[in-house]
C-alpha cells in the first residue's frame, strides 16, 4: 500500500529566505514608482527612446508582481520566479556588458556584476522549482 505524501507547509524561514532573495526587486519597483521620471531615464539609458513609458511601467509591474507571486506561495508562485529570472537575464546582458570594456577596474566591476546576476537568475529558477513542487 502506497501512502501519498502530503506536501510540507513552507517553513517561515523559507518565506524569509524568499523575501531576502526578492528584496532587490521589491525595493527597485517601489523606488521606480516613487521616481517614475528617473526610472524612465534608466530605461532610456539601456534601450534608447523606444516606448519608454510602457516599458518602464512593465518593468515595475514585473518587479512587484513577480515578487508578490513568488512570495504568495500559491499555485502560480513558480511563475513569478520564472518571470523574474527571465527579466534578470535580459537586464544582465543590457546593463552589465563587460566584454567590450578595456581591461581595468570598470571591466572587472561589470564582469563581477554580470556573474552575480547570472547567479541570481539561477537562484530565482531554484525558488520557482521549489514553489512548483509544493
Amino acid at each position: 500500500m502506497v501512502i501519498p505524501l502530503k506536501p510540507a507547509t513552507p517553513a517561515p524561514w523559507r518565506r524569509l529566505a524568499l523575501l531576502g532573495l526578492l528584496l532587490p526587486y521589491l525595493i527597485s519597483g517601489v523606488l521606480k514608482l516613487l521616481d517614475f521620471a528617473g526610472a524612465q531615464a534608466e530605461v532610456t539609458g539601456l534601450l534608447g527612446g523606444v516606448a519608454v513609458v510602457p516599458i518602464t511601467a512593465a518593468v515595475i509591474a514585473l518587479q512587484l508582481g513577480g515578487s508578490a507571486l513568488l512570495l504568495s506561495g500559491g499555485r502560480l508562485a513558480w511563475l513569478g520566479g520564472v518571470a523574474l529570472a527571465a527579466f534578470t537575464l535580459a537586464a544582465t546582458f543590457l546593463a552589465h556588458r563587460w566584454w567590450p570594456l578595456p581591461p581595468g577596474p570598470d571591466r572587472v566591476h561589470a564582469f563581477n556584476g554580470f556573474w552575480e546576476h547570472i547567479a541570481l537568475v539561477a537562484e530565482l529558477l531554484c525558488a520557482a522549482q521549489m514553489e512548483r513542487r509544493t
Side-chain angles (χ1 to χ4, degrees):
M1 175 177 178
V2 176
I3 300 172
L5 298 175
K6 182 179 176 186
T9 304
W13 62 264
R14 188 162 150 193
R15 289 287 158 237
L16 187 59
L18 279 173
L19 179 61
L21 175 63
L22 297 170
L23 274 175
Y25 300 98
L26 292 167
I27 292 168
S28 178
V30 168
L31 291 177
K32 282 177 175 64
L33 272 176
L34 296 174
D35 181 14
F36 197 77
Q40 288 177 273
E42 182 182 4
V43 170
T44 300
L46 292 173
L47 300 177
V50 181
V52 173
V53 172
I55 291 173
T56 303
V59 166
I60 294 168
L62 179 63
Q63 288 180 320
L64 297 177
S67 297
L69 270 176
L70 190 52
L71 274 173
S72 74
R75 283 187 41 216
L76 296 177
W78 65 271
L79 185 59
V82 171
L84 287 169
F87 164 76
T88 302
L89 186 62
T92 298
F93 278 93
L94 291 171
H96 298 284
R97 297 173 41 87
W98 58 269
W99 48 93
L101 298 175
D106 289 341
R107 182 182 173 120
V108 169
H109 182 72
F111 178 86
N112 289 338
F114 179 89
W115 290 109
E116 288 167 1
H117 282 77
I118 295 299
L120 188 55
V121 168
E123 292 165 11
L124 286 163
L125 291 175
C126 284
Q129 179 62 24
M130 285 176 58
E131 290 302 314
R132 189 163 174 109
R133 283 194 232 159
T134 58

